[in-house]
Amino acid sequence: KKRKNVWIRDNCVGFSEEHFPKLVSGIGESIKLGVPWLNGQFGFGFQAFRAAAGYLDCFSTQKGFDGIRHLRIGRDQTLDISPPSIVTLEKLETENKLVSEAIKSGLFSQSNGSLLTCLGAKSKNAKELYGTAVCLSEFDPVWFESVTGRAICEEIERHFESLLWRGNLEIVVSEIDRHSNHNIFHCNPFDYEKLPGNHIIKYLKVDKKKDPIYCNLVVTNTLVRGKKVRFFKNGRCINHVSEVKSFMVGSGYKAKLWEHPSVCGFIEMGNLLDPVITR
């Protein structure tokens, strides 16, 4: 919080040498383009840091690769972005200011997972490392005022609610606040089954070549904040149903139904919806 930095770390397979340039090659060249079960078709998300932060640093490696690839992009850089450099783990921990400060602050403490653990390693053998760590730094002060560990956790729970049900997936938000307190928040999916009331679960087949629409709705007498019925695509929230004008025009009950405080849940559209970049 003091340094206005946000780290995002995972223990996935990491970026290869050929994939790194595609991260910054431009809009419309996402490596997930055309993969129906994945979100992210335009390669725009990686560039979105420019709206709020001064720099993006990406550290990534793969199992069997002896080193860590480091890519640094400034907000004003467009065409003059240098290719990723290759650094050793020792240099990364001792000479890279962002990483060394994070270690000193306790962000990578053993209780929260060291940098090694963050990258999936169980030893200091560089060839056993895998995974990615991204640091967003030099945030605009006004924008960063509302950024807290709890706020990030709640946003993840809202936006990726359905994804949080997937097995072997755990998302933890860790925060070192202005007073050097270490706060940890676990992102959990919302359990609609525990709500009292009438549960409506339906699969609607509208296209033989595509997955059915999955509706999980609850009519309850319990007030549930922030759970108005929403459209999802592959586990990611698109919008509240009541805010999608094209749908509301054809809805029989319109706001009487979709804005009602007793109606909550979600409608998973799967690959029936195609993303548009203007969204």
Side-chain angles (χ1 to χ4, degrees):
K1 193 73 177 180
K2 285 181 181 178
R3 296 181 177 87
K4 298 183 176 64
N5 292 346
V6 173
W7 283 87
I8 305 99
R9 302 174 290 155
D10 68 43
N11 62 345
C12 298
V13 296
F15 288 115
S16 66
E17 184 178 6
E18 62 175 350
H19 281 163
F20 247 115
K22 294 180 181 179
L23 293 174
V24 295
S25 59
I27 306 302
E29 298 186 29
S30 169
I31 60 176
K32 296 183 282 187
L33 182 64
V35 183
W37 58 87
L38 293 178
N39 288 309
Q41 302 294 303
F42 300 110
F44 184 71
F46 200 81
Q47 307 289 343
F49 80 94
R50 302 176 192 272
Y55 289 93
L56 180 149
D57 286 81
C58 182
F59 309 90
S60 190
T61 190
Q62 295 183 303
K63 213 165 189 177
F65 179 69
D66 191 7
I68 296 174
R69 297 182 178 94
H70 174 207
L71 178 69
R72 182 173 175 83
I73 309 173
R75 167 183 276 166
D76 298 325
Q77 285 181 279
T78 52
L79 301 177
D80 58 339
I81 299 174
S82 302
S85 59
I86 299 175
V87 296
T88 64
L89 180 63
E90 183 181 3
K91 278 193 173 184
L92 186 64
E93 292 183 326
T94 57
E95 298 182 14
N96 184 278
K97 186 177 179 181
L98 288 170
V99 175
S100 61
E101 284 184 349
I103 292 173
K104 289 176 184 176
S105 71
L107 187 64
F108 296 157
S109 64
Q110 290 299 323
S111 61
N112 185 40
S114 65
L115 182 61
L116 287 170
T117 306
C118 140
L119 293 174
K122 295 181 180 178
S123 75
K124 287 209 171 187
N125 183 347
K127 289 190 176 182
E128 291 183 11
L129 292 170
Y130 55 92
T132 302
V134 175
C135 181
L136 306 178
S137 59
E138 296 192 18
F139 274 86
D140 298 336
V142 174
W143 191 94
F144 204 77
E145 284 180 1
S146 61
V147 176
T148 64
R150 185 178 297 279
I152 292 175
C153 179
E154 290 175 351
E155 183 64 20
I156 292 171
E157 290 178 339
R158 278 193 298 268
H159 199 70
F160 299 106
E161 180 178 283
S162 297
L163 291 178
L164 293 174
W165 282 109
R166 292 185 177 180
N168 297 324
L169 175 64
E170 182 183 19
I171 300 179
V172 179
V173 180
S174 177
E175 173 190 57
I176 306 293
D177 64 22
R178 290 187 177 92
H179 306 291
S180 299
N181 297 316
H182 196 166
N183 307 312
I184 296 179
F185 307 90
H186 292 265
C187 299
N188 298 306
F190 185 80
D191 193 350
Y192 291 97
E193 292 185 2
K194 292 183 178 180
L195 285 178
N198 296 323
H199 293 252
I200 303 168
I201 298 178
K202 287 185 176 293
Y203 289 89
L204 306 175
K205 192 74 173 177
V206 297
D207 189 323
K208 293 181 180 180
K209 296 181 180 180
K210 296 187 176 182
D211 295 333
I213 297 171
Y214 173 59
C215 302
N216 188 338
L217 309 177
V218 184
V219 182
T220 178
N221 56 7
T222 301
L223 181 62
V224 184
R225 298 185 183 278
K227 295 300 176 184
K228 286 194 302 184
V229 183
R230 293 161 295 161
F231 283 122
F232 280 75
K233 174 180 170 59
N234 296 333
R236 184 172 67 178
C237 180
I238 300 300
N239 206 346
H240 289 101
V241 169
S242 60
E243 295 178 12
V244 180
K245 295 180 180 178
S246 58
F247 177 83
M248 293 298 285
V249 167
S251 173
Y253 292 96
K254 301 187 185 304
K256 291 181 181 179
L257 171 61
W258 303 111
E259 287 279 3
H260 199 287
S262 295
V263 180
C264 60
F266 64 91
I267 301 173
E268 171 59 61
M269 301 299 294
N271 55 6
L272 279 169
L273 285 180
D274 292 321
V276 290
I277 198 167
T278 51
R279 177 179 168 271

